[in-house]
Amino acid sequence: MKPVILIGPDDGFNPMFQAPHAIISGRYTQCVKEAGGIPVTAFDVTCAAEYAAMADGLLLTGGVSDIHAGNYGEIYKDRMGGPGHPLNELRDDMDFALLKAFMALGKPVFGIGRGIQILNVAQGGSLYMDLLKDGGREHDGKNHPILAEPGTFADCYGQEEVVSQHHQGIKELGRDLKVCAHSPDGLIEAVEHTSLPVFAVQWHPEQSQSPADQKLFQRLISLCKGGNR
């Protein structure tokens, strides 16, 4: 049977029915299907342990919401949140709960965009609240190549540019994570866990879907089938 990949959704509000709803880009499900997996969606944070027991792997997706600074021991500042990057503590709770449950079972996890930030914070790391103001870097809509560490999963990339759509990023690296790629300006762009089948990228492979991008989803499916890290 094909591996079942649980996808963490974003959430929003349906004005027609005056009720919350889950949002997920069809590009994520397309990439999972084309890599050989069966995409399913998480809906209830209280079912995190059951989701982890049911699914073979987890895909933590991107999104516009900032991760609340309290999750990495800092104080909320006015440059967080706002119309462009709202806070969403419900989503924070879902992503952290799913990640914890899958890591506890040693199951594969692939984080994209916001997903790499969730992984880093969960491992005790911190984030730049605003890359431009705090880190002097502009990555929101500024595509760029990456500089991969030889022998890591990211070294399938050559000189092609990756899709960059984020205004936060890794500041202090979390425990048990190793850096697999940087951007040309020095920002951490890819990491993996030192002992678990867990990896993540800051760029958006589901957007460009280049051959190198596709290999990342194929890696997730391979790990779910017991492939080597």
Side-chain angles (χ1 to χ4, degrees), residues 73-89:
E74 295 194 24
I75 298 173
Y76 174 93
K77 297 181 180 178
D78 58 6
R79 58 184 173 277
M80 294 181 62
H85 302 282
L87 295 175
N88 189 333
E89 294 180 75

Side-chain angles (χ1 to χ4, degrees), residues 23-155:
I23 304 170
I24 185 167
S25 168
R27 290 179 175 174
Y28 291 115
T29 60
Q30 174 193 357
C31 289
V32 168
K33 287 189 296 182
E34 291 182 350
I38 301 173
V40 298
T41 302
F43 289 102
D44 192 325
V45 66
T46 65
C47 297
E50 288 83 358
Y51 287 139
M54 173 195 73
D56 299 294
L58 172 65
L59 177 61
L60 288 175
T61 62
V64 299
S65 58
D66 286 349
I67 298 167
H68 198 288
N71 289 302
Y72 47 95
E74 295 194 24
I75 298 173
Y76 174 93
K77 297 181 180 178
D78 58 6
R79 58 184 173 277
M80 294 181 62
H85 302 282
L87 295 175
N88 189 333
E89 294 180 75
L90 292 176
R91 181 166 187 197
D92 289 350
D93 290 345
M94 172 71 90
D95 285 350
F96 284 125
L98 291 175
L99 178 61
K100 180 180 178 180
F102 275 79
M103 290 180 69
L105 295 180
K107 290 189 173 183
V109 179
F110 176 25
I112 293 175
R114 189 179 192 275
I116 193 175
Q117 298 168 16
I118 286 286
L119 173 60
N120 191 63
V121 171
Q123 293 301 106
S126 64
L127 304 176
Y128 290 106
M129 292 187 202
D130 186 303
L131 267 177
L132 185 59
K133 295 178 180 178
D134 296 340
R137 302 176 177 96
E138 175 60 85
H139 280 240
D140 200 354
K142 303 290 185 180
N143 296 354
H144 57 77
I146 62 162
L147 306 175
E149 294 295 326
T152 67
F153 74 87
D155 70 2

Side-chain angles (χ1 to χ4, degrees), residues 203-219:
W203 64 89
H204 286 270
E206 84 285 357
Q207 294 284 343
S208 46
Q209 298 184 35
S210 70
D213 293 329
Q214 294 168 3
K215 287 181 180 180
L216 300 185
F217 292 94
Q218 293 164 3
R219 183 174 195 254

